[in-house]
Amino acid sequence: MCGLWMCLAAMLLYTLSTTNALELGSNKQPLDIKTFHSLSRIGTPLVSPNQQLALFTTSYYSEEANKNAAYISCLNITTGNITQLTDSSPGTIASNPLWFDDQTIGYLQKGALYRQSLNQSEPIIVFQPPVPISNVAFRKEQNLLTFVASVHPNCSLEESAIKRVQAAKKPDTAMVFDNLWARHWNEWMSMEKPSVFSARLQQDKDQNWKLSQMTNYAELLPSSPDPLTRWSIEDYTVSPSGEHLAFITRQPSENMTWSTNVDVYLTTTFNPRPRLLTGRVSGAASAPVFSWDGTKLAWLQMETPGYESDINRIYVYTLSTRETIAIAYDWGLSPHAISWARDNKSLLAVVGKQGRNIVVRIGLDGKRRELTSTGSTTAIRAVNNQTALTVYSQTDISPDLHMLDLQRLTTKQLTQINRKALENVHLSKAEDFWFTGARGDRVHGWILRPYNFDRRQKYPLALMIHGGPQQASSQGFSFSQWNPNMYASAGFVTVQINFHGSQGYGQNFTNSIRHKWGDYPYEDLMRGLDYVTSRLKFVDTQRMVALGGSFGGYMVNWINGHTQRFRALVSHDGKFSTISGFYGTDELWFPEWDLGKPWDPNGRAILEENNPERFASSFKTPTLFIQGEHDFRIPATESLGAWSMLRHRGIPSRLVYFPDEDHWINHGGNSIRWYTEVLDWITKWTNTTAPYKIR
């Protein structure tokens, strides 16, 4: 076995050291900031009831108009023809496509639900809600319309809209809290809570569309003494016939910020009485989905209380027998999405495996078959017993719709939404490498060669550190601030390492990071960097940078206190102090499980062992800090504190602050500014001339 591993390593070394990623003299251009932000994004397909057509959304950002746009198209699955159905002008947003029948679609636009036939006749409004709605679905057999809306306690949509206006006229703006949560992700808790609603949608004698009396499913659950922490429902699913509805929710309590318990409820829609299905397990449930014949309900279930990155088990509930089983229980990987195959006897799961997001078919008997092995599949929907539609990408291939043959395991690309934008753009391929990391474990990484690569030259290196920490850098195309080709296109050898704690390498590998935030990941990153720089002679070890967000930002701060091998660093929404970070975050179960409670002596010791701020006197590397004001996971004081410390000590640093952003950069204009600041910072400190003008 050792001999085989040495042979594989030697082959990999030969490949990494001899292959040119781009022949010199190529007329292709780098992926610059402007081109990247002009790219379109494709949504999850929705197959028609007759399995002949599929709807999908395409969205983009217009830099000239400084507006987003989203439009709906229809794919003929048989012919491959695509018809655009809604306006694609900047500022026009059509979302949430649905099927009323095989020839009629629906969608949300400007707060209203529209109905439009495929012959593109004039769309009509069938529902103009007084408050915003989302996650809309329709089931023709029952004429059942379901959606999510945020409302005040014991209020209809109309009554809640009135209360919203009244609240804006209050003489004071105080918000009073007696229980946690007070805020979550990017919002302070309010009296308005999301719930799922259902009603019958029919035409009256004058052919006007009317909704019957609505059912608010949250109001069917036991009452909560504190309306600010009452039931909240955002994720639900409806059976194909419309007879049953299932949803997930957290039980109201005083410990909602340190409990991961999320339950599944099931009810009929004609005489709704929600029934708890997960009373015997206290972990987080997610992603409920009915089988095509409506006889079974599947969902993902964590079983360890308080651990948000526990392995996802697949639970299947049979409605007729009221029995729940767990399938493929011995599987060491954790799926993050499931859907039913058309045979109603198996599921199609998307799961991370060694830096890829692959599709696995899982029978109710637990037998598994991998249907894909490369790239990243982010969505899959069965068309028939033979095929399924997927959204698929690779690091050098932007996401598009593909047809996956479930028997032959072949794929066919159906859309090319960014063909024109990328036809003259070079994108580097991601290449695997493996090395021995912490604990003697094999650790996996990716490397991308810089634009216009010539192995005879020396290049700076950018080490990208993923967040989580229980996530992974995958072989997929990203539209976020962490697309590795954006750094390769700026002239950097780009390295990503899936350190201990990453998902896709077995649950034991993921679990190993507990109490070891500053230990195993740092060791993996340094060993991985040593492996790359000792074997790839085109890397200039005097011109290296490291950058990351969330946990990656935390690790950048940790790196600053432990090594001076980098010329510059970038920390986006990164934790500076594990102590203040614990007290200021929104989900206490996360640091409590991974590290501990600061008022407990053992927890305090672990938090201090993993505290970057404890090593503040050793920070010496110029650092760019980036922070969104509405990030309640990593409050703004974390970046502000680290930046203030460096400035006070005379160490070059910069703070880029977005008053309207949260844990992510969501607005296109802000993303352009983000990349401009980051690429300008790392090229400046590595004395690198990018192949295009950054500012």
Side-chain angles (χ1 to χ4, degrees), residues 129-133 147-169 190-195 197 214 216 219 227 230:
V131 298
I133 64 173
F147 57 88
V148 170
S150 292
V151 294
H152 288 76
N154 303 312
C155 286
S156 65
L157 302 187
E158 292 76 13
E159 292 167 341
S160 194
I162 294 172
K163 283 187 175 291
R164 178 179 292 188
V165 174
Q166 292 173 342
K169 297 179 180 179
S190 73
M191 298 296 285
E192 294 180 84
K193 295 291 182 187
S195 179
F197 290 78
M214 296 183 189
N216 179 341
E219 290 186 353
R230 71 186 193 277

Side-chain angles (χ1 to χ4, degrees), residues 250-302:
R250 295 181 185 273
Q251 182 174 347
S253 68
E254 295 180 0
N255 68 344
M256 294 182 73
T257 61
W258 63 91
S259 170
T260 57
N261 188 26
V262 177
D263 287 313
V264 177
Y265 284 82
L266 173 69
T267 180
T268 60
T269 58
F270 52 85
N271 184 24
R273 294 180 181 178
R275 182 161 50 85
L276 177 63
L277 301 186
T278 50
R280 296 182 180 180
V281 62
S282 298
S286 62
V289 58
F290 283 100
S291 58
W292 293 101
D293 60 6
T295 63
K296 296 178 180 65
L297 176 72
W299 68 89
L300 299 176
Q301 181 69 59
M302 296 181 183

Side-chain angles (χ1 to χ4, degrees), residues 382-550:
V383 175
N384 48 45
N385 287 327
Q386 182 71 26
T387 58
L389 289 173
T390 68
V391 177
Y392 175 83
S393 71
Q394 292 191 27
T395 310
D396 58 326
I397 302 173
S398 67
D400 270 300
L401 289 183
H402 291 247
M403 183 69 77
L404 172 63
D405 190 305
L406 302 175
Q407 306 301 324
R408 300 176 181 175
L409 309 189
T410 57
T411 59
K412 177 183 178 182
Q413 185 171 341
L414 301 177
T415 61
Q416 292 181 304
I417 63 171
N418 288 309
R419 180 187 59 80
K420 185 175 181 180
L422 294 175
E423 61 184 352
N424 292 316
V425 173
H426 170 72
L427 295 173
S428 294
K429 293 182 179 294
E431 304 170 57
D432 292 88
F433 67 94
W434 292 82
F435 62 95
T436 301
R439 306 194 309 178
D441 294 337
R442 292 181 65 213
V443 178
H444 176 229
W446 298 105
I447 185 169
L448 277 73
R449 299 165 189 270
Y451 172 76
N452 214 18
F453 173 70
D454 179 354
R455 59 187 173 88
R456 297 167 296 182
Q457 304 297 320
K458 288 278 192 178
Y459 296 94
L461 180 145
L463 175 64
M464 296 177 59
I465 307 171
H466 71 69
Q470 295 92 349
Q471 296 178 5
S473 296
S474 65
Q475 189 192 29
F477 192 93
S478 171
F479 290 102
S480 75
Q481 283 63 56
W482 309 105
N483 185 313
N485 257 301
M486 288 296 288
Y487 304 93
S489 290
F492 288 79
V493 175
T494 304
V495 174
Q496 299 169 292
I497 294 171
N498 286 329
F499 45 78
H500 279 79
S502 301
Q503 294 180 325
Y505 303 88
Q507 192 62 27
N508 288 336
F509 191 84
T510 302
N511 294 345
S512 68
I513 199 174
R514 191 181 191 194
H515 301 168
K516 298 290 184 179
W517 273 29
D519 189 352
Y520 296 157
Y522 177 75
E523 184 176 348
D524 289 340
L525 292 170
M526 295 303 103
R527 286 192 177 193
L529 205 55
D530 290 342
Y531 179 90
V532 169
T533 57
S534 66
R535 287 160 173 78
L536 304 184
K537 302 307 179 184
F538 52 80
V539 173
D540 188 342
T541 58
Q542 301 302 309
R543 297 163 62 210
M544 299 194 299
V545 298
L547 59 162
S550 194

